[in-house]
Structures are given as structure tokens and as C-alpha cells.
Amino acid sequence: MDTASTAPPARSSAISSMTAGIACGIGAGALWGLVFLAPQLVREFSPLQLTVGRYLAYGLIALLLIAPRWRSLVAHIERRQWWSLIWLALAGNTLYYVLLCSAVQTGGIAMTSLIIGFLPVAVTIIGSRDHGAVPLRKLLPSLLLCALGAVCIGWQAMAHSGGVSAARPLFGLVCAIGALASWTAYAIGNARCLARLPQLSAQDWNLLMGLVTGAQSLLLLPVALALGSASHSVEAWARFGTVSGGVAIVASIAGNALWNRMSRLLPLTLVGQMILFETLFALLYGWLWERRWPAPVELMALCLVVLSVLSCLGAHRVRDIPVVCADP
């Protein structure tokens, strides 16, 4: 009698958590997709300069937001968590963005898109080993659709690429694989750290990540200035500052907050699939920026992406999902 009476509320709570988590994942993808427009707005600056500018702004904003609660907040953080923040900030922010920009410049958009498009596959496969995760065999249709979508995206980009120097593709390939490994490690490590820190809100964890990322960018600032040999006008620097600040607020503050919230509401195997929305929105913004309709292959890729997520959602039936903790 008691079990029957408590089952509906528990199921309703699980459905509510999944719905909120998916909504947060879509929101994070929509905001992260805007990052791909930043290099187009300030093309005269190098990838390292873009990285340093973005994450210095991220760190400064995080510092302003976290300063009033600094003492009470750090009381919950042990030395082990600080080390986790350092390597997560490096893997998911600083190193990943430098590798991604370098891969595009030296290996081309086609190869980079194809490799980075396998992020959901990598995260989902590794996440399937977590306790309570959906078995990998149930995720095979979703993973196959995801892989086919990534191939379509890479194929379309290859058909429209202008080609790259034969001496540089190997370095670009290494950078793209490094970016794939870097962000995969971040997505998994970040989700597991959040699960071990129920007393800390997802937004506070994001702000702490911003402080650490900003400190790393501050160390890289002299290198970025030294390697940036081109001289820029005052107008160019003003535009650079505006873009860096805008990306920091939209993607690093708001986007990361939504992603962290989602990571606490969904199992890791489903978290991996949510990365697909970044690709989807990046393509959408790209079409708007170029003022064109999507090509047939691009539409096919979008359909495969949507089917991949729907298939993954079908595998994550509510009764199979373990209870996950929400923000305190």
C-alpha cells in the first residue's frame, strides 16, 4: 500500500528532473554555439589571444560575482577539489579552445568538425561504465546515428573547404584529437565532481571554475601578447574586448551554469548526447551568418542528430534512471 502510494510521486519527480535536465542541455548548446561566431567577428586576432581574452573576462566576472560569498564558499572546498578545478579548467576551457582553434587553422574545418563531432560518442561510451548507467547495448542505435551525423557534417565541410597546405594537416589532426580527448575528460570529470559535491550549487562550481580559468589565462597573457606580432587599432581592441566579454557572459557564465545544472539532473550516458545540441546550434548560427539555406547533406546530418537524441531518450526510460541529486 505504501509502496504503491509513493511510486507515482517518485516517477513524477524523475520525469520532472529529466525534463529540466534536457531543457538545460538544450540551453547550454544554444549558448555555446554562439562561440563559433566569435572568431569571425575578430578575425585579426590569434586563437591564443581569443582564448586568453575570453577566459580573462570569464575570470573577472566570476570574481565579481563570487567575492561577497568568498569565505563561506571556500569553506566547502578541500585541497582535492582545488586540484580538480585546476585540471578541469585546463581540459575543458584553456587547452580545449587553443587546440580547437589550432586544428581549424592548420587542419581545416572539415577534419576538425568530423573528429570533434564524435564527442558524444566518446562521453557516452565512457559514461556507460558508471554505476547505474544505461547499458551500452541499449545506446548502440543512438551512437550509430550520432556517428553518421558527424560523418555527414565532416563530409559537407570537406566539400566546401578551400584546402590546406600538405605540410600541416598532420599537426591539425593531432590538435583535433587532443581537443576531443581534452573535452571528453572534462565532461566526465566535471559530472563526477559535481556528484561528489552535493553541498555546492552548480553555479558556484561554475564561478570557481571561472576563477581558476582566469588565473590560467593571466599566466598565458604575456605569451599571447608576445606571439601576437600584428598591431591592432584602438577600434579593433575595443571590438575584441566586447566580443571577449560577451562570449564570457553568454557561454562561460550562463552556458556553463546550465551545463552544470544538467550534469546533476541527468545520467552521464545522457549527458554525452546533450553535447550534440552545441553542434546543431553552431550549424544554425553558421547558416544565418552566411545567409544561406542548409545543403541536403547538412539537413541529413541534423535529422540524424535529432534521431540520435530521441533514441537516447528512449533508452533512458524513467523507471531505469537512478535518482540523481539536484542543487541544494
Side-chain angles (χ1 to χ4, degrees):
M1 185 72 176
D2 291 339
T3 302
S5 63
T6 57
R11 179 179 177 83
S12 177
S13 177
I15 294 175
S16 177
S17 295
M18 174 176 281
T19 302
I22 293 171
C24 289
I26 295 173
L31 295 178
W32 282 351
L34 292 169
V35 172
F36 291 85
L37 294 179
Q40 296 290 341
L41 298 174
V42 284
R43 299 183 64 178
E44 61 268 46
F45 292 88
S46 69
L48 183 59
Q49 288 175 325
L50 289 172
T51 301
V52 171
R54 171 187 175 179
Y55 291 125
L56 276 178
Y58 178 26
L60 179 60
I61 296 170
L63 177 62
L64 295 175
L65 293 175
I66 211 172
R69 299 178 294 107
W70 173 253
R71 290 188 178 180
S72 61
L73 186 59
V74 296
H76 299 289
I77 306 298
E78 300 177 357
R79 179 179 297 181
R80 182 180 60 177
Q81 275 84 52
W82 282 113
W83 282 113
S84 296
L85 283 167
I86 290 173
W87 82 261
L88 285 172
L90 181 65
N93 293 331
T94 311
L95 179 61
Y96 169 75
Y97 202 56
V98 171
L99 288 173
L100 181 65
C101 294
S102 300
V104 170
Q105 287 191 346
T106 59
I109 296 174
M111 178 272 299
T112 306
S113 299
L114 181 59
I115 293 178
I116 299 301
F118 284 93
L119 268 171
V121 180
V123 174
T124 303
I125 289 176
I126 297 176
S128 65
R129 300 180 180 180
D130 277 18
H131 174 70
V134 173
L136 185 59
R137 58 183 173 79
K138 291 187 177 182
L139 300 173
L140 287 179
S142 178
L143 293 174
L144 179 60
L145 290 168
C146 171
L148 290 174
V151 170
C152 288
I153 293 170
W155 185 10
Q156 174 64 19
M158 187 178 296
H160 288 80
S161 64
V164 293
S165 173
R168 302 195 298 168
L170 181 59
F171 178 72
L173 177 64
V174 173
C175 288
I177 295 175
L180 172 65
S182 182
W183 214 90
T184 299
Y186 164 78
I188 295 170
N190 188 58
R192 290 173 176 172
C193 283
L194 284 168
R196 292 193 297 265
L197 293 169
Q199 75 279 8
L200 197 67
S201 73
Q203 176 62 357
D204 285 340
W205 180 255
N206 180 35
L207 294 178
L208 289 171
M209 187 83 67
L211 287 179
V212 176
T213 307
Q216 292 175 357
S217 298
L218 193 60
L219 294 176
L220 289 174
L221 181 58
V223 180
L225 293 176
L227 296 180
S229 55
S231 59
H232 305 293
S233 64
V234 176
E235 181 184 355
W237 278 113
R239 187 170 64 255
F240 174 79
T242 302
V243 171
S244 297
V247 170
I249 294 172
V250 171
S252 297
I253 297 294
N256 288 3
L258 289 172
W259 182 265
N260 287 340
R261 174 67 175 168
M262 178 212 63
S263 297
R264 277 185 162 165
L265 294 172
L266 301 178
L268 190 52
T269 46
L270 189 52
V271 166
Q273 294 296 304
M274 293 295 103
I275 304 172
L276 289 170
F277 284 106
E278 180 185 9
T279 301
L280 190 153
F281 280 102
L283 286 171
L284 177 61
Y285 298 148
W287 297 329
L288 293 174
W289 177 262
E290 296 172 3
R291 298 180 180 180
R292 67 176 179 88
W293 291 101
V297 176
E298 292 174 324
L299 284 177
M300 184 182 299
L302 280 182
C303 292
L304 289 168
V305 165
V306 172
L307 290 174
S308 173
V309 174
L310 292 177
S311 175
C312 190
L313 289 175
H316 288 80
R317 292 173 298 179
V318 171
R319 64 175 178 270
D320 296 331
I321 297 177
V323 177
V324 289
C325 64
D327 282 344

